[in-house]
Amino acid sequence: MTYWRHSGKYTVVGKKVDELNKLDGLLQSLYQALQPALRDIDNDPPSAAYNAWFTDMFEHRTDRSNIPFVKKVLTGIATGASLLSGDFTYSQGGSPVFMSITEHGMFSANLNGKQTDLWDLYLEDKTKTASHVQDTPYLIIYPNFWNAVAPQMYGDLPPAPHGTQLAGNCLGINSRTNRFILNDALHWGSNLLQYRTWVLMEEVVHYQTWNAHKVSNDVQNANLLYIQKPAVKINTAQAYMYYAAFIYGNCTQFPRLDRELLEVDPPKTETDAPSTVTTIDGTNAQVLGNETAVEVH
């Protein structure tokens, strides 16, 4: 049996009611965790965190031109705003739908010219955490998302700080190389990437940027992302996650601007990166088994 429920403008779908309740709680946590960033985005001049993740750190550190778009994305995440029109199963007017898949027969898409059940995609690589299905409202959650055993997932959200930054909320700085410390090789060292609330946020960013610009980037390595141009950053899921997480965590440490970042890893393609997040062509995407789905409250 498939179950679904609304969570504000979002919809959550799955085979387990407890997972739907958990997703509802995570989306509420995400709303609360975004409030500091939504206040910070209006600062003039922009904060150090905004400059780090959305401007050119070596040329235009006070550039405010992308603030309206960044604010629109953050507001859209907080509210579950729709960027699509048309009828989509489970969706409220094109607003995002999180589907937690746990078996065959829940969702299929055209992969490399072949209609493929996404459960088979997961079975091919069980490190996958989530997928964004382009041109649809569907954000797919895989079982690995619920795996609480490190290095997969640390928890739901870092603890809220009280005036000072906490180690689990922020990235440290290596003073010798003048770069962020990346401790976890599997996920480019960012412990922030393993919190469920931030994972959900990344997926909604994919939905937002793809439907706004038909571009949806993943640059999980914080040091590589830090040195990208603004045009890349504003369409990169992790830029929004790092920004929100840094503001939420009262993070104040960044590489020094008067020094070079040493030993930055060479650029990677998306396929070179850990396959925790996947973008799927939405052509012929199909929700399966919805005929007998039951709404829960």
Side-chain angles (χ1 to χ4, degrees):
M1 181 70 72
T2 299
Y3 301 96
W4 63 275
R5 65 175 294 181
H6 293 317
S7 179
K9 290 295 184 181
Y10 290 96
T11 305
V12 293
V13 182
K15 294 288 186 179
K16 302 177 181 179
V17 174
D18 63 330
E19 287 186 356
L20 303 195
N21 293 336
K22 185 71 170 179
L23 284 169
D24 178 56
L26 289 171
L27 289 169
Q28 293 182 40
S29 294
L30 177 57
Y31 174 84
Q32 295 298 329
L34 283 175
Q35 298 312 302
L38 286 168
R39 292 190 291 269
D40 180 82
I41 196 72
D42 289 325
N43 283 343
D44 189 8
S47 67
Y50 176 86
N51 286 336
W53 303 116
F54 294 112
T55 68
D56 187 325
M57 290 309 299
F58 303 101
E59 294 184 14
H60 305 293
R61 295 190 295 274
T62 59
D63 180 11
R64 295 178 53 87
S65 61
N66 288 317
I67 286 179
F69 181 73
V70 173
K71 184 174 182 178
K72 181 179 180 180
V73 171
L74 292 172
T75 302
I77 297 168
T79 61
S82 171
L83 292 182
L84 292 169
S85 59
D87 293 328
F88 296 92
T89 303
Y90 299 123
S91 176
Q92 301 178 74
S95 290
V97 176
F98 281 100
M99 293 192 67
S100 179
I101 68 169
T102 51
E103 60 185 58
H104 285 104
M106 296 185 69
F107 198 95
S108 71
N110 190 316
L111 302 179
N112 300 317
K114 179 183 178 182
Q115 198 70 14
T116 303
D117 191 305
L118 292 196
W119 185 248
D120 289 325
L121 182 67
Y122 167 72
L123 293 178
E124 290 175 2
D125 182 0
K126 293 185 178 180
T127 66
K128 294 185 187 300
T129 300
S131 293
H132 161 239
V133 184
Q134 296 172 344
D135 301 314
T136 79
Y138 302 114
L139 307 171
I140 309 300
I141 299 296
Y142 299 106
N144 195 50
F145 178 83
W146 304 108
N147 188 343
V149 180
Q152 281 77 27
M153 285 290 155
Y154 292 148
D156 294 342
L157 187 68
H162 297 285
T164 58
Q165 71 178 40
L166 299 176
N169 293 33
C170 305
L171 301 179
I173 296 293
N174 182 323
S175 59
R176 180 182 65 83
T177 60
N178 191 38
R179 59 193 297 221
F180 293 112
I181 298 171
L182 307 183
N183 299 316
D184 180 355
L186 179 63
H187 292 90
W188 294 124
S190 175
N191 48 339
L192 300 177
L193 291 171
Q194 280 102 284
Y195 285 101
R196 294 185 185 92
T197 301
W198 299 139
V199 172
L200 295 186
M201 178 180 178
E202 286 182 285
E203 290 310 299
V204 186
V205 174
H206 283 306
Y207 166 88
Q208 290 274 333
T209 64
W210 178 261
N211 289 306
H213 296 155
K214 299 304 179 187
V215 179
S216 182
N217 302 321
D218 278 308
V219 182
Q220 297 184 352
N221 185 315
N223 290 306
L224 283 179
L225 180 56
Y226 185 76
I227 63 175
Q228 298 300 313
K229 296 296 185 182
V232 173
K233 291 180 175 181
I234 65 167
N235 291 307
T236 298
Q238 290 76 21
Y240 294 86
M241 185 278 294
Y242 285 130
Y243 173 58
F246 269 54
I247 297 298
Y248 170 85
N250 289 335
C251 305
T252 57
Q253 293 183 309
F254 300 90
R256 289 174 51 184
L257 299 179
D258 59 346
R259 286 185 53 199
E260 181 182 4
L261 274 73
L262 303 179
E263 302 175 18
V264 172
D265 301 325
K268 299 276 187 177
T269 65
E270 183 177 355
T271 55
D272 291 328
S275 57
T276 55
V277 177
T278 306
T279 298
I280 295 173
D281 185 348
T283 304
N284 296 327
Q286 296 180 16
V287 174
L288 306 174
N290 57 292
E291 296 85 359
T292 58
V294 174
E295 182 179 7
V296 296
H297 300 279

